[in-house]
Amino acid sequence: MKEKDKKKLNVRELVNRYQENCDRIQTIAETCEKEQRERTEAEDKEFAALTRENQLLQMKMQAVNAPNPVEAASPTEQLREVVNSANPGGKVSIILTRDVTLMTTTSVADTGIIPVDEQEMLKPLRAGLIYDKVGINLRTGLAAGELRWPMHTKAVGQFADEGERLTDSKVEFDKLTVTPRRMGIAIPVTREALDSSQGVVESVVREEMPAAVVDLINGAMFTTSSTFTDKDGNTKNRVVYGPFVEAAKKPFEFAAEVPTRRELIRMKAKVIAAGIKLSHPCWVMTENMKAELEDTKVDAGSGRFVCENDMILGYPVFCTSEIGEDNVGFGDWSYQAAGFFGTTSLTVDPYTLARQNATDFVLNAHFATVTLRKDAFVLGHKKAAAQASSDMPKA
């Protein structure tokens, strides 16, 4: 091994030992600071020994790095020697290099030397969760079984001449029923993840499970399609859906992508003309459609826009991506009944997955919804361009 290589190796060993001593001194200091005390007698002796050894190591490093008087030559002397030895008219190239090993932040990554400031948990974005805001007749704690609404037709009167026999009229009775559907979510988590996170993972799981149920209901309530595509790409029929699926079968058609104020007035009139008494009416659309209507002028001179202050024609506007782009829904949500049957159960099962050292978090609930009056809702979109809602897996 060359003398230069031996020096380099020796210096590296000295530096490593010096750093180990510094790390130990740092540990003693942090312990004293954490426990709010002075050094013990044993720590005093160790600190003195480490400091003394570091002084010796510094002296050795200075000695190793000292220039060799035999081999050393100044840059001027080296340059003069090269120039004098070159042929007249020859070309001389001089390259100055320095062998440097840089210490970067990667050398101390995850050691605790560089502090990490933990911030709050970033939660997933949930846009357009509006099923609990539009005025749905929502009930909880319903008994198991079906919900049933008796209904009957209108009686019809007639004009008649004096003495003329009236024809028989009748009132026909019927019923509207709905059966609850099970919905749930299961999240298996290893015990290692639960224990090492000191409760953070379990807290997130417990918070996300009911939120996922809300997502599920929101998607079912405002969809315009009776089918959906599951995570495996298979098309399936929905068993729970809101009023816009039926409304999409006979939609109100717009002349362009964005409806005019007159077309929106006609949508509202269609619901009222069916005999619906408006108590919780509202508009439902995407944020993009709402933005278009906020930029659509009522006329040329008033400076008014179709949608202002989250209102259209005096009725509130709610936004969700579930209704699909280019669709606009209007209706009175007091005619959409919904309810949770029984109790919603959250089971934490540490036994079933015991062989995998895991815990199973399982949430189960039963939900149902039914449209009491189909005429209370209308869906509008551009002619021959109906847009189905999101293909995310839904109920």
Side-chain angles (χ1 to χ4, degrees), residues 63-124:
V64 172
N65 290 326
N68 191 324
V70 176
E71 298 179 358
S74 67
T76 303
E77 293 173 345
Q78 295 179 33
L79 178 60
R80 186 182 296 114
E81 181 181 351
V82 173
V83 172
N84 290 337
S85 64
N87 294 327
K91 183 177 180 181
V92 178
S93 298
I94 300 175
I95 301 176
L96 301 178
T97 62
R98 183 183 179 188
D99 189 8
V100 178
T101 301
L102 296 176
M103 179 179 289
T104 65
T105 55
T106 56
S107 63
V108 292
D110 298 323
T111 63
I113 294 176
I114 300 177
V116 177
D117 190 6
E118 295 287 352
Q119 302 298 310
E120 63 179 299
M121 182 77 67
L122 293 178
K123 301 181 183 298

Side-chain angles (χ1 to χ4, degrees), residues 57-340:
L57 292 172
Q58 286 179 329
M59 295 170 61
K60 290 181 180 181
M61 284 187 285
Q62 291 174 358
V64 172
N65 290 326
N68 191 324
V70 176
E71 298 179 358
S74 67
T76 303
E77 293 173 345
Q78 295 179 33
L79 178 60
R80 186 182 296 114
E81 181 181 351
V82 173
V83 172
N84 290 337
S85 64
N87 294 327
K91 183 177 180 181
V92 178
S93 298
I94 300 175
I95 301 176
L96 301 178
T97 62
R98 183 183 179 188
D99 189 8
V100 178
T101 301
L102 296 176
M103 179 179 289
T104 65
T105 55
T106 56
S107 63
V108 292
D110 298 323
T111 63
I113 294 176
I114 300 177
V116 177
D117 190 6
E118 295 287 352
Q119 302 298 310
E120 63 179 299
M121 182 77 67
L122 293 178
K123 301 181 183 298
L125 297 178
R126 284 187 164 87
L129 299 178
I130 63 172
Y131 91 96
D132 59 337
K133 301 179 178 63
V134 294
I136 296 175
N137 182 12
L138 184 66
R139 302 180 184 183
T140 58
L142 297 172
E146 293 184 337
L147 285 183
R148 182 173 60 192
W149 287 264
M151 54 191 302
H152 62 80
T153 60
K154 295 186 295 185
V156 178
Q158 68 180 96
F159 291 102
D161 294 330
E162 182 179 355
E164 180 181 357
R165 181 181 178 85
L166 295 173
T167 59
D168 294 338
S169 182
K170 64 180 179 178
V171 176
E172 296 182 351
F173 291 88
D174 201 349
K175 64 181 182 299
L176 179 65
T177 62
V178 62
T179 302
R181 295 287 182 171
R182 176 180 170 228
M183 59 183 179
I185 179 173
I187 303 178
V189 187
T190 63
R191 294 294 306 175
E192 289 85 351
L194 294 173
D195 295 339
S196 60
S197 66
Q198 298 181 341
V200 174
V201 170
E202 182 173 353
S203 176
V204 170
V205 170
R206 288 178 177 271
E207 181 180 358
E208 277 299 301
M209 294 182 80
V213 169
V214 173
D215 283 336
L216 187 67
I217 295 174
N218 198 78
M221 197 64 70
F222 299 101
T223 184
T224 61
S225 173
S226 61
T227 62
F228 70 95
T229 303
D230 65 13
K231 61 181 180 181
D232 297 322
N234 301 316
T235 300
K236 295 185 177 181
N237 293 324
R238 295 179 184 271
V239 294
V240 176
Y241 50 82
F244 292 135
V245 171
E246 289 296 323
K249 295 178 180 179
K250 295 181 179 180
F252 185 96
E253 295 178 335
F254 304 142
E257 298 285 349
V258 179
T260 63
R261 184 173 183 270
R262 185 171 183 272
E263 288 173 332
L264 295 175
I265 292 175
R266 290 175 61 195
M267 283 182 63
K268 181 196 71 170
K270 183 177 180 180
V271 172
I272 297 175
I276 300 299
K277 296 180 179 180
L278 300 181
S279 61
H280 292 88
C282 70
W283 302 90
V284 180
M285 62 191 71
T286 64
E287 288 286 355
N288 288 336
M289 178 60 76
K290 177 185 173 185
E292 292 287 349
L293 294 175
E294 287 175 329
D295 193 48
T296 301
K297 294 183 178 180
V298 173
D299 51 43
S302 67
R304 299 290 303 279
F305 295 89
V306 174
C307 181
E308 293 181 336
N309 300 320
D310 298 331
M311 303 281 283
I312 294 178
L313 304 177
Y315 301 118
V317 177
F318 295 99
C319 295
T320 176
S321 60
E322 300 295 346
I323 196 172
E325 293 294 345
D326 303 324
N327 290 334
V328 175
F330 178 78
D332 190 302
W333 290 90
S334 63
Y335 291 95
Q336 183 70 28
F340 291 91

Side-chain angles (χ1 to χ4, degrees), residues 328-389:
V328 175
F330 178 78
D332 190 302
W333 290 90
S334 63
Y335 291 95
Q336 183 70 28
F340 291 91
F341 290 73
T343 59
T344 299
S345 65
L346 174 58
T347 304
V348 181
D349 178 9
Y351 306 109
T352 306
L353 303 178
R355 291 194 177 200
Q356 299 168 261
N357 196 30
T359 297
D360 209 12
F361 293 84
V362 182
L363 185 148
N364 278 288
H366 287 81
F367 177 82
T369 185
V370 65
T371 305
L372 302 179
R373 299 289 182 186
K374 295 180 181 180
D375 291 340
F377 299 91
V378 59
L379 181 74
H381 60 71
K382 184 181 178 182
K383 186 176 182 180
Q387 298 294 322
S389 58

